[in-house]
Short mmCIF file of all heavy atoms in Angstrom, two decimals:
data_model
loop_
_atom_site.label_atom_id
_atom_site.label_comp_id
_atom_site.label_asym_id
_atom_site.label_seq_id
_atom_site.Cartn_x
_atom_site.Cartn_y
_atom_site.Cartn_z
N THR O 38 12.95 -0.70 -14.28
CA THR O 38 12.21 -1.11 -13.14
C THR O 38 11.68 0.10 -12.40
O THR O 38 12.43 1.10 -12.28
CB THR O 38 13.18 -1.88 -12.20
OG1 THR O 38 13.80 -2.92 -12.95
CG2 THR O 38 12.46 -2.39 -10.96
N PRO O 39 10.50 0.12 -12.06
CA PRO O 39 9.88 1.27 -11.31
C PRO O 39 10.67 1.54 -10.06
O PRO O 39 11.30 0.71 -9.44
CB PRO O 39 8.42 0.80 -10.94
CG PRO O 39 8.14 -0.30 -11.83
CD PRO O 39 9.43 -0.94 -12.22
N ALA O 40 10.80 2.75 -9.77
CA ALA O 40 11.62 3.22 -8.63
C ALA O 40 11.29 2.54 -7.38
O ALA O 40 12.02 2.13 -6.54
CB ALA O 40 11.54 4.72 -8.40
N ALA O 41 9.84 2.31 -7.13
CA ALA O 41 9.45 1.82 -5.87
C ALA O 41 9.87 0.27 -5.83
O ALA O 41 10.17 -0.23 -4.76
CB ALA O 41 7.91 1.85 -5.80
N ALA O 42 9.88 -0.40 -6.92
CA ALA O 42 10.33 -1.83 -6.96
C ALA O 42 11.77 -1.98 -6.78
O ALA O 42 12.22 -2.98 -6.22
CB ALA O 42 9.79 -2.47 -8.21
N SER O 43 12.54 -1.06 -7.30
CA SER O 43 13.97 -1.13 -7.21
C SER O 43 14.57 -0.50 -5.84
O SER O 43 15.71 -0.65 -5.64
CB SER O 43 14.62 -0.48 -8.33
OG SER O 43 14.38 0.95 -8.43
N SER O 44 13.70 0.16 -5.18
CA SER O 44 14.22 0.74 -3.94
C SER O 44 14.65 -0.34 -2.92
O SER O 44 13.94 -1.33 -2.78
CB SER O 44 13.05 1.46 -3.33
OG SER O 44 13.42 1.97 -1.96
N SER O 45 15.68 -0.13 -2.40
CA SER O 45 16.23 -1.09 -1.41
C SER O 45 15.97 -0.60 0.11
O SER O 45 16.46 -1.18 1.03
CB SER O 45 17.74 -1.27 -1.54
OG SER O 45 18.40 -0.08 -1.38
N ALA O 46 15.10 0.35 0.27
CA ALA O 46 14.57 0.85 1.56
C ALA O 46 13.86 -0.25 2.26
O ALA O 46 12.91 -0.76 1.72
CB ALA O 46 13.77 2.05 1.50
N PRO O 47 14.33 -0.65 3.43
CA PRO O 47 13.62 -1.73 4.20
C PRO O 47 12.26 -1.25 4.73
O PRO O 47 12.05 -0.03 5.04
CB PRO O 47 14.61 -2.05 5.28
CG PRO O 47 15.39 -0.73 5.49
CD PRO O 47 15.46 -0.08 4.19
N GLU O 48 11.38 -2.06 4.79
CA GLU O 48 10.11 -1.86 5.43
C GLU O 48 10.27 -1.82 6.97
O GLU O 48 11.08 -2.56 7.42
CB GLU O 48 9.09 -2.99 5.07
CG GLU O 48 8.66 -3.03 3.66
CD GLU O 48 7.73 -4.07 3.36
OE1 GLU O 48 7.53 -5.03 4.26
OE2 GLU O 48 7.03 -4.13 2.36
N ARG O 49 9.55 -0.91 7.56
CA ARG O 49 9.62 -0.84 9.03
C ARG O 49 8.27 -1.36 9.58
O ARG O 49 7.24 -1.11 9.01
CB ARG O 49 9.78 0.67 9.50
CG ARG O 49 11.17 1.17 8.96
CD ARG O 49 11.28 2.69 9.31
NE ARG O 49 10.26 3.37 8.57
CZ ARG O 49 9.58 4.46 8.99
NH1 ARG O 49 9.67 4.91 10.12
NH2 ARG O 49 8.61 4.97 8.05
N THR O 50 8.35 -2.14 10.62
CA THR O 50 7.12 -2.77 11.21
C THR O 50 7.20 -2.54 12.67
O THR O 50 8.19 -2.58 13.32
CB THR O 50 7.17 -4.32 10.94
OG1 THR O 50 7.31 -4.52 9.51
CG2 THR O 50 5.93 -4.95 11.43
N LEU O 51 5.98 -2.25 13.13
CA LEU O 51 5.74 -2.05 14.59
C LEU O 51 4.44 -2.87 14.98
O LEU O 51 3.59 -2.94 14.13
CB LEU O 51 5.42 -0.59 14.85
CG LEU O 51 5.21 -0.08 16.32
CD1 LEU O 51 6.52 -0.25 17.04
CD2 LEU O 51 4.77 1.25 16.30
N SER O 52 4.45 -3.48 16.07
CA SER O 52 3.30 -4.28 16.55
C SER O 52 2.54 -3.71 17.59
O SER O 52 3.15 -3.10 18.53
CB SER O 52 3.81 -5.66 16.90
OG SER O 52 4.28 -6.35 15.85
N ILE O 53 1.23 -3.84 17.53
CA ILE O 53 0.33 -3.46 18.63
C ILE O 53 -0.36 -4.68 19.21
O ILE O 53 -0.84 -5.57 18.48
CB ILE O 53 -0.90 -2.59 18.16
CG1 ILE O 53 -0.25 -1.24 17.47
CG2 ILE O 53 -1.87 -2.19 19.22
CD1 ILE O 53 0.35 -0.25 18.43
N ASP O 54 -0.02 -5.08 20.50
CA ASP O 54 -0.57 -6.27 21.11
C ASP O 54 -1.99 -6.12 21.62
O ASP O 54 -2.30 -4.97 22.00
CB ASP O 54 0.41 -6.70 22.26
CG ASP O 54 1.80 -7.06 21.68
OD1 ASP O 54 1.96 -7.48 20.58
OD2 ASP O 54 2.66 -7.03 22.44
N PHE O 55 -2.73 -7.18 21.53
CA PHE O 55 -4.10 -7.17 22.08
C PHE O 55 -4.24 -8.27 23.09
O PHE O 55 -3.49 -9.30 23.08
CB PHE O 55 -5.11 -7.33 20.93
CG PHE O 55 -5.35 -6.23 20.08
CD1 PHE O 55 -4.44 -5.95 19.04
CD2 PHE O 55 -6.33 -5.34 20.32
CE1 PHE O 55 -4.65 -4.82 18.19
CE2 PHE O 55 -6.60 -4.26 19.43
CZ PHE O 55 -5.71 -3.97 18.47
N ALA O 56 -5.11 -8.05 24.06
CA ALA O 56 -5.47 -9.10 25.10
C ALA O 56 -6.25 -10.18 24.26
O ALA O 56 -6.94 -9.88 23.34
CB ALA O 56 -6.30 -8.51 26.23
#
Side-chain angles (χ1 to χ4, degrees):
T38 305
S43 65
S44 172
S45 61
E48 292 178 345
R49 295 173 296 142
T50 303
L51 182 71
S52 292
I53 302 289
D54 295 337
F55 285 82

